Amino acid sequence: MSQPGPDAPSQPLRITVLTDGDTRPPGLERIEAEADVVLAHDEASLRKALPGSQVLLVTDFRTAALEAAWDAADSLAWIHAASAGVDQLMFDALVESDIPVTNAQGIFDRNIAEYVLGMILAFAKDTKQNVRYQQDRRWVHRDTETIEHKQALVVGAGSIGRRIGTLCRAVGMDVVGVARREKPGDETFSAIHAQSDLDTLLPAADYVIIAAPLTDDTQGLFDAGRFKAMSPHARLINIGRGPIVVTDDLVAALDAGEIAGAALDVFETEPLPADHALWGYDNVLISAHMAGDFVGWRDALIEQFAANLARWQRGETLFNPVSKRFGYAPSSQ
Amino acid sequence: MSQPGPDAPSQPLRITVLTDGDTRPPGLERIEAEADVVLAHDEASLRKALPGSQVLLVTDFRTAALEAAWDAADSLAWIHAASAGVDQLMFDALVESDIPVTNAQGIFDRNIAEYVLGMILAFAKDTKQNVRYQQDRRWVHRDTETIEHKQALVVGAGSIGRRIGTLCRAVGMDVVGVARREKPGDETFSAIHAQSDLDTLLPAADYVIIAAPLTDDTQGLFDAGRFKAMSPHARLINIGRGPIVVTDDLVAALDAGEIAGAALDVFETEPLPADHALWGYDNVLISAHMAGDFVGWRDALIEQFAANLARWQRGETLFNPVSKRFGYAPSSQ
């Protein structure tokens, strides 16, 4: 199972691509020129595809199929996740194996940061209410908030969190970071605090931005206690993973006015069910797990995989290795 | 009429405040401690108030009352407009008089720049459509645009235009300026072109931002020809004055798909009538002439007037003098 491709040049390279089944990832042609490419989209098709595959490309970040079909992986030497989050791949058998995992670090950073800034400005300028007044053809003047010197608390200081921090600082906000461990402040964050200090940091934040990976440490991190610690004028923005937030506690906090609003791109259940309470809040902005998905992102993901594949074929160190201990690719900074 | 206050210390200072009649400007108390303050809100009340007033504070930027009651201004030595735009004060009799006019330059800059950036991000991230899908409880993934290296063409390089340019550049956009006359590029604008070159600049712009004062040179500047010159994927953002845009031509350009959308905070007729076509466009974002109005703006305006009043009483040079020749206060830069 750990036999690397470069040691077996006579064996044709076989790559399994695990997709969501709805779409064939565009740009696969360039991979097909290099290898036999087999598509799979669920446990059954994956069981057929895996035997003999040295490389697995996972484009469906929600998949549970790999864990279910794991025993069929007889030749895997490298797994690349074409996503920032790798939480679905961090099951025991893979974590304990010596198969390296890489991810799509960097690809989504800029667009996610723009999305977050857009949501901050939508709250400050009351954009959603403007849309509603426009629908009613009503001219209603209000005073709006500025974001200058407002504090953005970015939970997660990886490459996405850093990019968010950089953009928020560029527009004059105060930016504080939260990471697994405390680190010295730098050009992006005035300070980076340990996640264990979160409760002492929350009261001062105007915008609390979740940019953390989903791990044992972050699952359910934002629960009732955390919302009570937040300022009643603060907004929560989640572009990380849905299960970092206890959704029922968020709904209760909104009902109680413990926070002023939320912009949510990720949810515990995706798609968010049509009958879910969150759709109905005036002070909640919902998008369909698309914050990172700029026009051309699928091509960019394949291009990134192809570059790493070339390195793998030459026996070179892979880009964006995921720490299987921590469940994410450490930021280069 | 040109007798300045400082030369007549024995005469009690009398200040007329021309408001929109709906609200008493907050913070007037601090002025009342210094002078007899008389409120007016239309031609009739202004005619009663003006005689004997050395100073006129205009808080209603839409007023036509001053021109109508001008012959009653027997003692005016200074007019301060508590607004960025002074277009309603640039009637011949005032322009030809030697009465200095000052304005509220600087107060609204930051909030307007934030509003513009918010609208740019709302277009790029399709925020209005997200709100509509949320209302319908529909989960619809789309790819969105980035704003990095997109070009913002800022028409008007005064203090508001400069602040918009600074903020757009800070988030990685390319920023080009348009002013009355060509000027060298600087830290904000990669280049500042003459308004006469506008048609050659429009095709390359992703966002065309009107931040100009309403003058003879800018009235009706954005007409059918200008919209035809714009890229079909470009958006227009108007935070200047409504009459800089020929509204009927804008509606026609939207119908023809000549431009991709518009964010409008100002209109030829304000409030925008409920039956106006503009309310109904999916790709138009409307707000009620509020882009500059941050929480606390009324207090900030009175504070700025009070500071200028103190200078006037000491016979010092006034802040923010308006060029009556050009109809705006030249940016300090």
Side-chain angles (χ1 to χ4, degrees), chain B:
Chain B
M1 186 141 97
S2 62
Q3 184 187 34
D7 294 346
S10 64
Q11 194 180 341
L13 177 60
R14 180 178 161 100
I15 301 176
T16 291
V17 182
L18 176 55
T19 77
D20 63 7
D22 290 338
T23 46
R24 179 189 149 91
L28 269 191
E29 312 75 55
R30 62 189 297 174
I31 308 300
E32 286 167 334
E34 310 265 337
D36 292 338
V37 173
V38 192
L39 294 178
H41 65 275
D42 58 10
E43 182 187 343
S45 55
L46 189 61
R47 278 191 178 283
K48 280 190 208 158
L50 277 179
S53 282
Q54 298 102 318
V55 177
L56 174 65
L57 168 62
V58 182
T59 69
D60 176 15
F61 63 87
R62 296 189 184 92
T63 189
L66 184 60
E67 184 172 10
W70 185 244
D71 56 286
D74 59 3
S75 308
L76 273 189
W78 170 38
I79 297 174
H80 179 80
S83 58
V86 293
D87 39 278
Q88 289 296 328
L89 304 182
M90 293 298 107
F91 52 89
D92 290 349
L94 172 49
V95 167
E96 286 156 17
S97 78
D98 57 0
I99 301 174
V101 175
T102 56
N103 78 346
Q105 181 173 307
I107 296 287
F108 300 106
D109 299 3
R110 168 77 198 188
N111 213 54
I112 290 178
E114 290 185 3
Y115 168 91
V116 168
L117 182 58
M119 292 298 96
I120 290 171
L121 286 165
F123 282 124
K125 306 309 172 194
D126 210 13
T127 303
K128 184 173 176 182
Q129 188 59 51
N130 275 342
V131 171
R132 295 159 54 98
Y133 281 136
Q134 183 175 344
Q135 289 171 331
D136 296 340
R137 294 171 172 259
R138 288 182 61 198
W139 178 274
V140 183
H141 179 281
R142 290 101 66 210
D143 299 346
T144 62
E145 301 168 21
T146 62
I147 65 169
E148 195 167 29
H149 303 308
K150 294 293 194 303
Q151 192 194 90
L153 181 69
V154 182
V155 181
S159 73
I160 293 173
R162 299 199 75 84
R163 198 66 175 261
I164 292 168
T166 301
L167 205 58
C168 288
R169 179 168 273 205
V171 299
M173 300 182 75
D174 299 330
V175 181
V176 176
V178 174
R180 224 167 42 79
R181 283 193 234 162
E182 189 174 353
K183 295 175 198 173
D186 57 29
E187 284 185 9
T188 300
F189 299 106
S190 58
I192 303 179
H193 300 274
Q195 186 177 303
S196 51
D197 292 332
L198 190 55
D199 282 339
T200 66
L201 300 166
L202 286 172
D206 299 296
Y207 296 92
V208 176
I209 301 153
I210 301 175
L214 177 60
T215 66
D216 290 347
D217 285 341
T218 63
Q219 174 130 16
L221 180 63
F222 278 82
D223 60 9
R226 297 281 142 61
F227 295 125
K228 284 192 206 323
M230 284 173 64
S231 160
H233 73 253
R235 283 84 174 214
L236 179 77
I237 300 177
N238 188 6
I239 53 79
R241 280 285 188 261
I244 299 174
V245 171
V246 180
T247 310
D248 290 346
D249 289 0
L250 171 61
V251 169
L254 289 165
D255 284 337
E258 289 170 356
I259 68 171
L264 306 169
D265 188 56
V266 292
F267 301 86
E268 284 191 273
T269 304
E270 295 181 8
L272 185 66
D275 61 355
H276 200 286
L278 279 175
W279 292 107
Y281 285 82
D282 289 344
N283 56 349
V284 171
L285 290 154
I286 288 176
S287 50
H289 201 137
M290 55 192 267
D293 299 346
F294 58 94
V295 175
W297 63 281
R298 289 181 182 83
D299 294 321
L301 286 175
I302 292 293
E303 197 173 317
Q304 187 187 44
F305 170 69
N308 234 354
L309 180 62
R311 296 178 69 86
W312 184 78
Q313 289 179 300
R314 292 192 300 261
E316 297 172 7
T317 309
L318 295 174
F319 288 126
N320 301 340
V322 167
S323 161
K324 290 195 282 187
R325 179 173 161 212
F326 296 129
Y328 55 87
S331 164
S332 53
Q333 224 178 327

Side-chain angles (χ1 to χ4, degrees), chain A residues 14 16 45-53 56 66 69 72-74 76:
Chain A
R14 181 180 162 98
T16 291
S45 55
L46 189 60
R47 278 191 178 285
K48 280 189 206 158
L50 277 178
S53 282
L56 174 65
L66 185 59
D74 59 2
L76 274 189

Side-chain angles (χ1 to χ4, degrees), chain A residues 34-299:
Chain A
E34 310 262 338
D36 292 338
V37 173
V38 193
L39 293 178
H41 65 275
D42 58 10
E43 182 186 344
S45 55
L46 189 60
R47 278 191 178 285
K48 280 189 206 158
L50 277 178
S53 282
Q54 298 102 318
V55 177
L56 174 65
L57 168 62
V58 182
T59 69
D60 175 15
F61 64 86
R62 296 189 184 93
T63 189
L66 185 59
E67 183 172 10
W70 185 245
D71 55 287
D74 59 2
S75 307
L76 274 189
W78 169 38
I79 298 173
H80 180 80
S83 58
V86 294
D87 40 278
Q88 289 295 328
L89 304 182
M90 293 297 107
F91 52 89
D92 289 348
L94 173 49
V95 168
E96 286 156 17
S97 78
D98 56 1
I99 301 174
V101 175
T102 55
N103 77 346
Q105 180 174 306
I107 296 287
F108 300 104
D109 299 3
R110 168 76 197 188
N111 214 52
I112 291 178
E114 290 185 4
Y115 168 90
V116 168
L117 182 57
M119 291 298 97
I120 289 172
L121 285 166
F123 283 125
K125 305 310 171 194
D126 210 14
T127 303
K128 184 172 176 182
Q129 187 59 53
N130 274 342
V131 171
R132 295 159 55 96
Y133 280 135
Q134 183 175 344
Q135 289 171 330
D136 296 340
R137 295 171 172 260
R138 288 183 60 198
W139 178 273
V140 183
H141 179 281
R142 292 99 67 209
D143 298 347
T144 62
E145 301 169 21
T146 62
I147 65 169
E148 195 167 30
H149 303 309
K150 293 293 194 303
Q151 192 194 90
L153 181 69
V154 182
V155 181
S159 72
I160 294 173
R162 298 199 76 84
R163 198 67 176 262
I164 293 168
T166 301
L167 206 57
C168 289
R169 178 168 275 206
V171 298
M173 300 183 75
D174 299 330
V175 181
V176 176
V178 174
R180 225 168 42 79
R181 283 193 233 163
E182 188 174 355
K183 295 175 199 172
D186 57 31
E187 283 186 8
T188 301
F189 298 107
S190 58
I192 302 179
H193 300 274
Q195 187 177 302
S196 51
D197 292 333
L198 189 55
D199 282 339
T200 65
L201 300 166
L202 286 171
D206 299 296
Y207 296 92
V208 177
I209 301 153
I210 301 176
L214 177 60
T215 66
D216 290 346
D217 285 341
T218 63
Q219 174 130 15
L221 180 63
F222 278 80
D223 60 9
R226 297 279 143 61
F227 295 125
K228 284 192 206 326
M230 283 173 66
S231 159
H233 74 252
R235 282 86 174 212
L236 180 76
I237 300 177
N238 189 7
I239 52 81
R241 279 286 187 262
I244 299 174
V245 171
V246 180
T247 311
D248 290 346
D249 290 0
L250 172 61
V251 169
L254 289 165
D255 285 336
E258 288 169 357
I259 67 172
L264 306 168
D265 188 56
V266 293
F267 301 87
E268 283 192 274
T269 304
E270 295 180 6
L272 184 66
D275 62 355
H276 200 286
L278 278 175
W279 292 107
Y281 286 82
D282 289 343
N283 56 349
V284 171
L285 291 154
I286 288 176
S287 51
H289 201 137
M290 54 191 268
D293 298 347
F294 58 95
V295 175
W297 63 280
R298 290 182 181 83
D299 294 321

